[in-house]
């Protein structure tokens, strides 16, 4: 027993009808066929336009067109994959993965998968990660800038200038140098008496032991 896919080509009973957008091209006569899902992906109602190579390629982003066409027309019986941007009839851009293959009779076929939402989600995740990393980097640099200002008795701006000059001379990133400075000072745990005495009036009698004791009590 067999079932029939949308274009009336019989397939085995154990092969379901194609649901993903599919297009088919016959190089010999230049004809095209789109599944209903493919018409929808391109932004058309079925039969809205006459399918030609020019129409198909017009909807592929210029920067992706040559690569997509070379992959599609160069396909063999072994499926190959490519990705391209598709602009539909409404002007909306889709990120599409195409799995291309050549049938025994020379017909070219491609199943299309719209991965626009996945690409957007991944882009958002990467942007969030980069923003977080940038914020962490700025915080570390600010800490190092303050430490240098206190150590050398200069302004925070001069402290940053010291960092920048060290970065240029050593060809090491600002963040790496800043991390080293902060880590060095924190790990030493040395009290600078002259600086501590000058800051105590601003702290109203609060010292490190008070903060540590409060942390041990869970902030209560």
């Amino acid at each position: 027993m067999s079932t029939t896919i949308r274009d009336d080509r019989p397939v085995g009973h154990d092969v379901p009808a194609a649901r993903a957008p599919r297009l088919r091209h016959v190089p010999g006569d230049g004809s095209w066929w789109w599944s209903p899902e493919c018409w929808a992906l391109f932004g058309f109602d079925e039969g809205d336009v006459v399918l030609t190579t020019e129409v198909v390629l017009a909807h592929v982003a210029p920067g992706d067109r040559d690569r997509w066409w070379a992959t599609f027309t160069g396909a063999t019986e072994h499926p190959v994959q490519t990705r391209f941007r598709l602009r539909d009839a409404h002007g909306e851009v889709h990120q599409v993965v195409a799995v291309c293959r050549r049938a025994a009779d020379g017909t070219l076929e491609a199943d299309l998968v719209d991965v626009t939402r996945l690409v957007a989600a991944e882009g958002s995740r990467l942007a969030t990660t980069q923003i977080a990393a940038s914020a962490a980097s700025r915080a570390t640099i600010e800490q190092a800038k303050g430490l240098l200002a206190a150590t050398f008795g200069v302004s925070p701006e001069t402290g940053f200038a010291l960092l920048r000059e060290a970065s240029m001379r050593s060809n090491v990133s600002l963040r790496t140098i800043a991390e080293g400075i902060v880590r060095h000072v924190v790990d030493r745990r040395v009290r600078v008496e002259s600086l501590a005495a000058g800051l105590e009036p601003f702290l109203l009698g609060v010292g490190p032991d008070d903060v540590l004791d409060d942390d041990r009590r869970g902030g209560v």
Side-chain angles (χ1 to χ4, degrees):
M1 184 175 179
S2 66
T3 186
T4 302
I5 59 176
R6 301 272 187 167
D7 65 336
D8 298 325
R9 173 179 292 193
V11 296
H13 178 71
D14 59 337
V15 179
R19 304 302 299 176
R22 173 176 291 181
L23 56 78
R24 181 172 294 128
H25 175 54
V26 181
D29 60 17
S31 62
W32 287 85
W33 169 87
W34 287 354
S35 71
E37 296 80 9
C38 193
W39 282 98
L41 176 61
F42 275 76
F44 293 107
D45 289 329
E46 193 167 354
D48 273 355
V49 295
V50 176
L51 298 181
T52 64
T53 299
E54 290 72 21
V55 167
V56 174
L57 293 180
H59 288 275
V60 179
D64 301 339
R65 194 171 293 156
D66 289 344
R67 175 171 47 79
W68 141 252
W69 187 244
T71 302
F72 180 57
T73 57
T76 65
E77 67 275 13
H78 302 292
V80 290
Q81 178 180 302
T82 187
R83 189 167 121 183
F84 64 95
R85 291 162 294 166
L86 182 151
R87 184 180 295 276
D88 67 23
H90 309 294
E92 184 176 349
V93 176
H94 303 260
Q95 297 282 345
V96 177
V97 171
V99 180
C100 311
R101 61 194 167 275
R102 184 182 295 270
D105 62 1
T107 299
L108 296 168
E109 295 180 336
D111 288 322
L112 310 180
V113 181
D114 189 345
V115 296
T116 305
R117 290 184 180 180
L118 292 175
V119 171
E122 178 64 10
S124 177
R125 185 191 68 79
L126 290 175
T128 300
T129 301
Q130 290 169 355
I131 290 171
S134 177
S137 177
R138 287 197 302 271
T140 302
I141 290 171
E142 288 297 316
Q143 290 171 350
K145 184 171 71 173
L147 289 172
L148 289 175
T151 299
F152 293 104
V154 296
S155 69
E157 291 73 20
T158 302
F160 179 75
L162 288 170
L163 280 175
R164 185 178 56 200
E165 182 68 19
S167 175
M168 289 188 295
R169 289 188 181 186
S170 62
N171 197 28
V172 176
S173 71
L174 271 173
R175 178 177 179 175
T176 299
I177 294 176
E179 286 175 341
I181 291 172
V182 172
R183 186 166 53 249
H184 173 74
V185 173
V186 171
D187 289 349
R188 285 186 66 207
R189 298 182 181 276
V190 175
R191 178 184 173 94
V192 182
E193 292 295 341
S194 60
L195 185 58
L199 293 178
E200 282 174 354
F202 295 95
L203 300 178
L204 302 177
V206 177
D209 289 340
D210 299 294
V211 177
L212 291 173
D213 289 343
D214 191 57
D215 286 343
R216 295 188 189 103
R217 293 193 300 269
V220 179

